[in-house]
Amino acid sequence: MKKIDISLSPIVDERARIFRDNCFDAILKTHKLHGKRKGHWAFSITAKFRVMFAFIDSDTVLFEDVGDHSIYE
């Protein structure tokens, strides 16, 4: 299991709130993934950390992983 610095918790909470309000808010830098992650998306928590997710339907997303760029491997 990956460990995320606990000091990121307030930032993660804030980004999740922004995501719920507007998953394409510019602060999140939401982007499509390509290659073997085609069909998945990611948004930024910090310059280093990302959340990878997939749209299940128009009202539902699945957060699949949180971490640095290694989550894309």
Side-chain angles (χ1 to χ4, degrees), residues 6-7 10 14 19-20 29 33 36-39 47 54-55 64-67 69:
I6 193 71
S7 66
E14 176 64 10
F19 185 89
R20 284 190 302 273
K29 301 177 184 169
L33 300 179
K36 66 181 179 179
R37 297 292 181 199
K38 185 177 180 180
F55 288 102
E64 295 187 19
D65 208 345
V66 178
H69 279 97

Side-chain angles (χ1 to χ4, degrees), residues 2-63:
K2 297 176 192 169
K3 292 185 180 181
I4 302 294
D5 185 341
I6 193 71
S7 66
L8 290 175
S9 184
I11 298 167
V12 172
D13 290 344
E14 176 64 10
R15 293 297 193 265
R17 185 196 61 73
I18 293 168
F19 185 89
R20 284 190 302 273
D21 290 343
N22 176 5
C23 64
F24 293 105
D25 188 298
I27 199 167
L28 299 173
K29 301 177 184 169
T30 304
H31 57 282
K32 286 183 182 181
L33 300 179
H34 303 281
K36 66 181 179 179
R37 297 292 181 199
K38 185 177 180 180
H40 293 83
W41 294 72
F43 69 87
S44 297
I45 296 173
T46 66
K48 182 176 179 179
F49 291 102
R50 311 278 185 274
V51 173
M52 185 171 58
F53 68 95
F55 288 102
I56 303 302
D57 59 39
S58 63
D59 296 320
T60 309
V61 297
L62 173 64
F63 285 2

